[in-house]
Amino acid sequence: MRIILLGAPGAGKGTQAQFISNEFNIPQISTGDMLRAAIKARTPLGLEAKKVMDEGKLVSDDIILGLVKERLNEADCENGCLFDGFPRTLAQAEALKNEGITIDHVIEIDVDDDEIIKRMSGRRVHLASGRTYHVEFNPPEQPGIDDVTGEPLIQRDDDTEETVRKRLEVYHQQTAPLIDYYRDREQHKEQDAPVFTTITGTGSVDDIRERILAALSN
């Protein structure tokens, strides 16, 4: 079973991806991990990618797709895989299709922007230990203070409202069009079109997990 998980940053993809990977005994494939592994192993594609990255340029879709094809040939992908952060654009999705790489399910975890901003901008962290709090959902005993050490908590730069809004803007421009792309392919009953399901990403982690399991069992 090959699965693509879509959703905005902060929608909870990471938590659910780990569960899907364990539940179906399939590897979670991240383009970042593939790039690092290929560069470390000094494969031809890895060396090509390193050259591009050393020049401060973006790695092309051709290189990424080549890495994906190589990764899918590895033994642990025999039962399928879960794509993490790929495809990121319509061009990458089309390239997957043109290469004959079939996908069985596409699941979108749908969460409103306002909810994501509330989730992410409310995070506070104790850097030394990695303990994480949330001003609303998991507050420390004293506002802004770590429960264990009494040291101040910080808000990571990635979690400020301004940064979260920018990340959401990029997502809506580049990645959100994939939702319409896969939905249209299923509605038009295209050959090899994956099953597309939108899951509501609010509620408990277990609730969302059950919705995903129900979708994947159809």
Side-chain angles (χ1 to χ4, degrees), residues 6-45:
L6 295 175
K13 294 192 302 299
T15 303
Q16 299 302 336
Q18 196 170 12
F19 161 72
I20 294 167
S21 181
N22 294 335
E23 181 73 14
F24 294 97
N25 192 28
I26 54 176
Q28 192 175 334
I29 293 182
S30 149
T31 50
D33 289 345
M34 284 189 301
L35 272 172
R36 285 186 286 274
I39 289 168
K40 187 177 179 182
R42 298 182 65 80
T43 66
L45 277 173

Side-chain angles (χ1 to χ4, degrees), residues 1-3 20 24 26 78-82 104-105 216-217:
M1 186 186 295
R2 290 181 185 157
I3 304 165
I20 294 167
F24 294 97
I26 54 176
E78 190 178 351
N79 295 327
C81 66
L82 173 67
D104 298 296
H105 288 266
L216 291 175
S217 61

Side-chain angles (χ1 to χ4, degrees), residues 133-135 138-151 153:
Y133 301 85
H134 192 282
V135 294
N138 178 34
E141 291 170 10
Q142 291 184 38
I145 300 295
D146 178 49
D147 289 350
V148 179
T149 64
E151 293 170 350
L153 302 173

